[in-house]
Amino acid sequence: MSRCAMAQAGLTLEIAVPTAGRSQLMRQRARSAWLFLAPMLIVLAAVAGWPLMRTIYFGFTDASLADLEARQWVGFANYFSVLKMPSGRVVYDGLLVDPVWWRAVWNTVRFAVISVTCETILGTIVALVLNSEFRGRGIVRAAILVPWAIPTIVSAKMWQWMLNDQFGILNDILLRLGLISTKIAWTANTDTAMIAVLIVDIWKTTPFMALLILAALQMIPNEIHEVAKLDGANPWQVFWKVTLPLIRPALMVAVIFRGLDAFRIFDLIYVLTPNNLQTKSMSVFARENLFEFDKFAYGSAASTLLFIILGSLTILFMWVGRVKLGGGR
């Protein structure tokens, strides 16, 4: 073998050894990661995976809450079925043709789109204000988180009193300002019930969006904005061309989290506007059928559809926002 060939072979050997070492190290790290994750995955499978599988299974049965063991397999009857009456009339039944379910789907989609859009815009504005330098900024940052820190049930009951048509403070203020002529039953009126729910949710959750966006803003070096200003960019151009692209990953994560939370809204609507068809969400619909109407299988089918919708939306949001779970570029 020539000296050049030996040198090439030696170079190949010197490179291959570290590469093999790195591969072994990566495998060890992967095994260690799975070892640390195993307890969490086992607990998650026990408290979430098993109930989820049971719910999906019950959706294909005629189970009743009075006696779950007496259930019978009915296939897709809870989702869609065709009944032929003795008179020859064909009746379509099931969740997919239930107008109340589709009304709940529309209410949920409308609530999620409006609330997340408003909270994202307002949260960005609040975060930009809190990111600037001014006296008392620390106190304002702490105060802005108070609505988010209040439990949802407490917020709902508090706003329920404030929105009351007889002695609510909101009606009193609007009457004194001359903006309304008569008191409004905000949570009972079909025209204002959804508006009331949106007001409370936006008031409560905007600080959450502002907190996440503020964390992203603080990761941007000030030099980037200074260079943009030196190039002659106005504040709007700095935000649109510099700030927004840099905070987009964090903004998409915030929108995903908030969007999924909005699509499974339950407690706020259940407390603030109970038994109101105009605000009934998919979660409220499922709960009513599971426990109040004793249609456990039907409610399980609704819960399964809600899970499928949330899973599909998660994949869609991650694809649209180009969110990578591996942390790569």
Side-chain angles (χ1 to χ4, degrees):
M1 180 180 295
S2 64
R3 182 176 300 179
C4 181
M6 293 177 61
Q8 291 178 354
L11 180 61
T12 303
L13 181 62
E14 290 175 1
I15 294 177
V17 172
T19 302
R22 284 196 298 268
S23 300
Q24 184 178 3
L25 180 61
M26 293 300 295
R27 287 194 295 268
Q28 291 177 353
R29 288 181 177 179
R31 286 195 295 267
S32 300
W34 281 110
L35 183 63
F36 283 114
L37 287 174
M40 183 273 294
L41 294 176
I42 295 174
V43 173
L44 187 62
V47 303
W50 174 246
L52 175 62
M53 298 305 296
R54 292 277 288 179
T55 301
I56 296 174
Y57 167 73
F58 282 133
F60 294 97
T61 67
D62 60 352
S64 172
L65 194 61
D67 189 3
L68 290 177
E69 299 303 324
R71 62 186 179 270
Q72 297 292 330
W73 183 266
V74 296
F76 288 92
N78 290 314
Y79 296 95
F80 181 77
S81 63
V82 181
L83 303 176
K84 190 171 183 179
M85 308 301 290
S87 61
R89 178 168 163 263
V90 177
V91 177
Y92 299 99
D93 192 19
L95 198 63
L96 296 179
V97 293
D98 189 342
V100 180
W101 163 254
W102 287 112
R103 179 69 185 186
V105 172
W106 165 244
N107 290 338
T108 307
V109 171
R110 182 174 58 163
F111 169 82
V113 171
I114 296 176
S115 63
V116 173
T117 301
C118 294
E119 289 159 6
T120 302
I121 296 174
L122 295 176
T124 303
I125 295 173
V126 172
L128 290 172
V129 172
L130 296 180
N131 193 50
S132 59
E133 295 287 344
F134 60 90
R135 182 176 298 179
R137 182 176 62 172
I139 298 176
V140 176
R141 285 181 176 179
I144 202 68
L145 294 177
V146 172
W148 181 54
I150 299 176
T152 305
I153 300 297
V154 177
S155 299
K157 294 301 293 184
M158 179 181 67
W159 277 91
Q160 192 176 44
W161 284 93
M162 294 172 60
L163 295 169
N164 189 275
D165 57 327
Q166 297 299 322
F167 40 80
I169 189 175
L170 185 61
N171 276 322
D172 184 67
I173 293 175
L174 295 177
L175 283 172
R176 292 177 182 272
L177 294 176
L179 298 178
I180 59 175
S181 57
T182 58
K183 294 182 177 180
I184 301 174
W186 292 94
T187 57
N189 193 319
T190 57
D191 297 328
T192 58
M194 181 59 76
I195 297 176
V197 173
L198 286 169
I199 290 174
V200 179
D201 186 77
I202 293 171
W203 170 83
K204 175 173 174 54
T205 319
T206 295
F208 170 76
M209 299 293 289
L211 182 66
L212 294 181
I213 298 171
L214 177 61
L217 288 173
Q218 292 184 332
M219 297 296 294
I220 302 176
N222 292 329
E223 291 79 6
I224 295 180
H225 294 105
E226 293 176 358
V227 170
K229 292 177 181 178
L230 290 175
D231 288 340
N234 57 47
W236 172 251
Q237 291 174 332
V238 172
F239 170 76
W240 190 255
K241 299 292 186 180
V242 179
T243 305
L244 189 59
L246 292 175
I247 67 172
R248 187 186 62 83
L251 189 63
M252 289 305 305
V253 171
V255 170
I256 290 173
F257 279 127
R258 183 64 200 113
L260 296 178
D261 190 46
F263 269 95
R264 58 184 178 86
I265 182 70
F266 169 78
D267 43 9
L268 182 61
I269 293 177
Y270 189 76
V271 174
L272 197 61
T273 57
N275 302 319
N276 193 325
L277 187 61
Q278 305 300 321
T279 60
K280 182 180 297 185
S281 65
M282 291 185 286
S283 297
V284 175
F285 177 91
R287 194 265 180 194
E288 287 180 346
N289 284 275
L290 282 167
F291 302 110
E292 294 181 9
F293 302 157
D294 194 20
K295 299 169 66 176
F296 193 81
Y298 201 69
S300 298
S303 301
T304 301
L305 279 184
L306 176 59
F307 169 73
I308 294 174
I309 292 173
L310 289 177
S312 302
L313 288 174
T314 302
I315 297 173
L316 178 63
F317 286 158
M318 294 178 63
W319 178 73
V320 172
R322 290 177 289 179
V323 178
K324 295 185 179 181
L325 298 178
R329 293 184 179 180

